[in-house]
Amino acid sequence: MRITVLTLFPEMFNDFVSTSIIKRCLDKGVASVDFVNIRDFSKDKHNHVDDTPFGGGAGMVMKCQPVLDALESVRSENSYVILMSPAGTKYNQQVARRYATIEHLIIICGHYEGLDYRIYKHVDELVSIGDYVLTGGELAAMVISDSIIRLLDGAITSESISEESHENGLLEYPQYTKPADYNGDKVPDVLLSGHHKNIKEWRHAQSLMQTKKYRPDMFEKYELSKEEVKLLQKYEDNQ
Ligand code: SAM
């Protein structure tokens, strides 16, 4: 998969592409990430990419020409173009899965007060990473790229993905590592038992309980099987 980011600040991504799991994935060729500096497409003699809003008001608005020329320089038949915007589709794991199947994802990052509205009709989808306002789309583009790349074949083991939070409508079960006893705070006995069936059952029950406790909105939407109702009751009664 190829991801192309259109931004005024490509340097913001330096650490993103050169650190930890994402670096490893890019080195292995699991995905490629490239950047287009929108400013390089400015036809203004001062290299301006923004201007004051018609009708007045605070801040600067990114102009059509540099953004659309930058877009056309990389867009092809296989590209899907998303524009970072607080007004967009709310991003979640299902959207990440959908994007992970795309051959070429182009991400446009707005900055300042945002982009000239005429740019919107040239994109396939507006995407928001949450109901708050960032100074620019760069952090949102990193969030989206990171969550997609780790889903791609060869990125990380599929087992670790399938049991993660949000993959099956539930949160993940609690994880522990050594030491088994940290200043008297002990890891649950079942995890030290080596009994795989019991561990699996405990983890499933914990996953249900964590979701019920921390994300009641998700729990309400989740359809419990008869076995899960019994499992939950058994573990809640033993709490
Ligand atoms: N004036 C705009 C508004 O009220 O909707 C906000 C512009 S914001 C300061 C600048 C840019 O940051 C946006 O064009 C967008 O690309 C990005 N951005 C801000 N919040 C975002 C969010 N929640 N999700 C995705 N992108 C966001």
mmCIF file of all heavy atoms in Angstrom, residues 50 60-61 65 92 94 112 117 126 139 144 180 190 196 208 213 218-219:
data_model
loop_
_atom_site.group_PDB
_atom_site.id
_atom_site.type_symbol
_atom_site.label_atom_id
_atom_site.label_comp_id
_atom_site.label_asym_id
_atom_site.label_seq_id
_atom_site.Cartn_x
_atom_site.Cartn_y
_atom_site.Cartn_z
ATOM 1 N N ASP A 50 -1.845 30.600 1.248
ATOM 2 C CA ASP A 50 -3.085 30.928 1.942
ATOM 3 C C ASP A 50 -3.403 32.411 1.734
ATOM 4 O O ASP A 50 -2.561 33.186 1.287
ATOM 5 C CB ASP A 50 -2.964 30.620 3.441
ATOM 6 C CG ASP A 50 -1.752 31.298 4.088
ATOM 7 O OD1 ASP A 50 -0.936 31.895 3.355
ATOM 8 O OD2 ASP A 50 -1.622 31.243 5.314
ATOM 9 N N MET A 60 -6.342 32.576 8.202
ATOM 10 C CA MET A 60 -6.047 32.464 6.783
ATOM 11 C C MET A 60 -6.606 31.151 6.249
ATOM 12 O O MET A 60 -6.689 30.160 6.974
ATOM 13 C CB MET A 60 -4.523 32.468 6.582
ATOM 14 C CG MET A 60 -3.851 33.726 7.090
ATOM 15 S SD MET A 60 -4.320 35.183 6.129
ATOM 16 C CE MET A 60 -3.110 35.123 4.830
ATOM 17 N N VAL A 61 -6.950 31.166 4.971
ATOM 18 C CA VAL A 61 -7.563 29.995 4.341
ATOM 19 C C VAL A 61 -6.622 29.477 3.254
ATOM 20 O O VAL A 61 -6.100 30.266 2.454
ATOM 21 C CB VAL A 61 -8.929 30.388 3.724
ATOM 22 C CG1 VAL A 61 -9.550 29.216 2.973
ATOM 23 C CG2 VAL A 61 -9.876 30.891 4.813
ATOM 24 N N GLN A 65 -5.462 26.678 -5.667
ATOM 25 C CA GLN A 65 -4.455 26.322 -6.686
ATOM 26 C C GLN A 65 -3.306 25.429 -6.176
ATOM 27 O O GLN A 65 -3.087 24.341 -6.743
ATOM 28 C CB GLN A 65 -3.932 27.621 -7.353
ATOM 29 C CG GLN A 65 -2.855 27.404 -8.406
ATOM 30 C CD GLN A 65 -1.453 27.390 -7.792
ATOM 31 O OE1 GLN A 65 -1.131 28.219 -6.957
ATOM 32 N NE2 GLN A 65 -0.629 26.428 -8.187
ATOM 33 N N ASN A 92 -12.485 5.357 12.966
ATOM 34 C CA ASN A 92 -12.450 4.277 13.952
ATOM 35 C C ASN A 92 -11.800 3.047 13.315
ATOM 36 O O ASN A 92 -11.345 3.107 12.161
ATOM 37 C CB ASN A 92 -13.852 3.970 14.504
ATOM 38 C CG ASN A 92 -14.811 3.515 13.421
ATOM 39 O OD1 ASN A 92 -14.397 3.003 12.376
ATOM 40 N ND2 ASN A 92 -16.100 3.704 13.646
ATOM 41 N N GLN A 94 -13.002 0.307 12.162
ATOM 42 C CA GLN A 94 -13.656 -0.196 10.944
ATOM 43 C C GLN A 94 -13.210 0.618 9.734
ATOM 44 O O GLN A 94 -12.958 0.079 8.662
ATOM 45 C CB GLN A 94 -15.189 -0.137 11.062
ATOM 46 C CG GLN A 94 -15.800 -1.277 11.876
ATOM 47 C CD GLN A 94 -15.418 -1.208 13.343
ATOM 48 O OE1 GLN A 94 -15.502 -0.146 13.953
ATOM 49 N NE2 GLN A 94 -14.971 -2.316 13.912
ATOM 50 N N TYR A 112 -4.022 26.293 9.417
ATOM 51 C CA TYR A 112 -4.609 27.624 9.623
ATOM 52 C C TYR A 112 -6.118 27.476 9.856
ATOM 53 O O TYR A 112 -6.548 26.616 10.599
ATOM 54 C CB TYR A 112 -4.268 28.542 8.441
ATOM 55 C CG TYR A 112 -2.808 28.462 8.053
ATOM 56 C CD1 TYR A 112 -2.405 28.072 6.777
ATOM 57 C CD2 TYR A 112 -1.814 28.725 9.010
ATOM 58 C CE1 TYR A 112 -1.057 27.980 6.448
ATOM 59 C CE2 TYR A 112 -0.466 28.625 8.685
ATOM 60 C CZ TYR A 112 -0.099 28.254 7.406
ATOM 61 O OH TYR A 112 1.219 28.136 7.095
ATOM 62 N N TYR A 117 -13.354 26.011 0.401
ATOM 63 C CA TYR A 117 -14.390 24.973 0.311
ATOM 64 C C TYR A 117 -14.465 24.342 -1.083
ATOM 65 O O TYR A 117 -14.923 23.218 -1.239
ATOM 66 C CB TYR A 117 -15.745 25.588 0.698
ATOM 67 C CG TYR A 117 -16.827 24.554 0.909
ATOM 68 C CD1 TYR A 117 -16.714 23.596 1.912
ATOM 69 C CD2 TYR A 117 -17.966 24.539 0.114
ATOM 70 C CE1 TYR A 117 -17.693 22.639 2.104
ATOM 71 C CE2 TYR A 117 -18.951 23.592 0.303
ATOM 72 C CZ TYR A 117 -18.809 22.644 1.302
ATOM 73 O OH TYR A 117 -19.780 21.693 1.483
ATOM 74 N N LEU A 126 -14.221 13.236 3.676
ATOM 75 C CA LEU A 126 -13.649 14.043 4.762
ATOM 76 C C LEU A 126 -13.528 13.127 5.974
ATOM 77 O O LEU A 126 -14.443 12.358 6.250
ATOM 78 C CB LEU A 126 -14.566 15.191 5.161
ATOM 79 C CG LEU A 126 -15.057 16.171 4.101
ATOM 80 C CD1 LEU A 126 -15.826 17.301 4.788
ATOM 81 C CD2 LEU A 126 -13.913 16.733 3.312
ATOM 82 N N LEU A 139 -1.196 15.738 12.557
ATOM 83 C CA LEU A 139 -1.309 14.707 13.607
ATOM 84 C C LEU A 139 -2.392 13.701 13.242
ATOM 85 O O LEU A 139 -2.238 12.494 13.441
ATOM 86 C CB LEU A 139 -1.616 15.357 14.964
ATOM 87 C CG LEU A 139 -0.465 16.136 15.593
ATOM 88 C CD1 LEU A 139 -0.942 16.895 16.826
ATOM 89 C CD2 LEU A 139 0.683 15.206 15.969
ATOM 90 N N ILE A 144 -3.997 8.225 11.382
ATOM 91 C CA ILE A 144 -4.626 7.374 10.375
ATOM 92 C C ILE A 144 -3.592 6.446 9.725
ATOM 93 O O ILE A 144 -3.809 5.235 9.622
ATOM 94 C CB ILE A 144 -5.368 8.260 9.343
ATOM 95 C CG1 ILE A 144 -6.597 8.854 10.036
ATOM 96 C CG2 ILE A 144 -5.741 7.483 8.090
ATOM 97 C CD1 ILE A 144 -7.364 9.863 9.225
ATOM 98 N N ALA A 180 5.635 -11.326 38.579
ATOM 99 C CA ALA A 180 4.283 -11.788 38.898
ATOM 100 C C ALA A 180 3.761 -11.109 40.170
ATOM 101 O O ALA A 180 2.555 -11.061 40.403
ATOM 102 C CB ALA A 180 4.290 -13.305 39.060
ATOM 103 N N VAL A 190 -4.632 -17.426 37.336
ATOM 104 C CA VAL A 190 -4.925 -18.206 36.128
ATOM 105 C C VAL A 190 -3.868 -17.980 35.048
ATOM 106 O O VAL A 190 -3.518 -18.901 34.299
ATOM 107 C CB VAL A 190 -6.359 -17.884 35.597
ATOM 108 C CG1 VAL A 190 -6.487 -16.421 35.171
ATOM 109 C CG2 VAL A 190 -6.743 -18.784 34.437
ATOM 110 N N HIS A 196 -4.316 -23.449 29.162
ATOM 111 C CA HIS A 196 -4.713 -22.577 28.051
ATOM 112 C C HIS A 196 -6.221 -22.325 27.958
ATOM 113 O O HIS A 196 -6.657 -21.226 27.655
ATOM 114 C CB HIS A 196 -4.182 -23.138 26.728
ATOM 115 C CG HIS A 196 -2.692 -23.123 26.692
ATOM 116 N ND1 HIS A 196 -1.959 -21.970 26.821
ATOM 117 C CD2 HIS A 196 -1.775 -24.129 26.605
ATOM 118 C CE1 HIS A 196 -0.671 -22.248 26.799
ATOM 119 N NE2 HIS A 196 -0.533 -23.550 26.678
ATOM 120 N N LEU A 208 -15.187 -8.823 28.170
ATOM 121 C CA LEU A 208 -16.585 -8.394 28.334
ATOM 122 C C LEU A 208 -16.708 -7.410 29.502
ATOM 123 O O LEU A 208 -17.380 -6.371 29.402
ATOM 124 C CB LEU A 208 -17.483 -9.611 28.593
ATOM 125 C CG LEU A 208 -17.625 -10.612 27.436
ATOM 126 C CD1 LEU A 208 -18.262 -11.914 27.920
ATOM 127 C CD2 LEU A 208 -18.454 -10.009 26.304
ATOM 128 N N LYS A 213 -17.393 -1.953 31.780
ATOM 129 C CA LYS A 213 -16.961 -0.950 32.755
ATOM 130 C C LYS A 213 -16.536 0.361 32.072
ATOM 131 O O LYS A 213 -16.952 1.443 32.461
ATOM 132 C CB LYS A 213 -15.776 -1.519 33.540
ATOM 133 C CG LYS A 213 -15.211 -0.592 34.579
ATOM 134 C CD LYS A 213 -14.160 -1.334 35.392
ATOM 135 C CE LYS A 213 -13.466 -0.399 36.364
ATOM 136 N NZ LYS A 213 -12.353 -1.050 37.039
ATOM 137 N N MET A 218 -20.268 0.904 23.956
ATOM 138 C CA MET A 218 -19.918 -0.231 23.098
ATOM 139 C C MET A 218 -20.608 -1.500 23.588
ATOM 140 O O MET A 218 -21.086 -2.311 22.796
ATOM 141 C CB MET A 218 -18.399 -0.489 23.142
ATOM 142 C CG MET A 218 -17.582 0.363 22.217
ATOM 143 S SD MET A 218 -15.814 0.150 22.529
ATOM 144 C CE MET A 218 -15.516 -1.543 22.001
ATOM 145 N N PHE A 219 -20.636 -1.652 24.909
ATOM 146 C CA PHE A 219 -21.218 -2.868 25.490
ATOM 147 C C PHE A 219 -22.705 -2.975 25.133
ATOM 148 O O PHE A 219 -23.207 -4.050 24.838
ATOM 149 C CB PHE A 219 -21.031 -2.863 27.011
ATOM 150 C CG PHE A 219 -21.394 -4.165 27.653
ATOM 151 C CD1 PHE A 219 -20.573 -5.267 27.515
ATOM 152 C CD2 PHE A 219 -22.575 -4.282 28.377
ATOM 153 C CE1 PHE A 219 -20.923 -6.483 28.089
ATOM 154 C CE2 PHE A 219 -22.923 -5.488 28.962
ATOM 155 C CZ PHE A 219 -22.089 -6.589 28.818
#
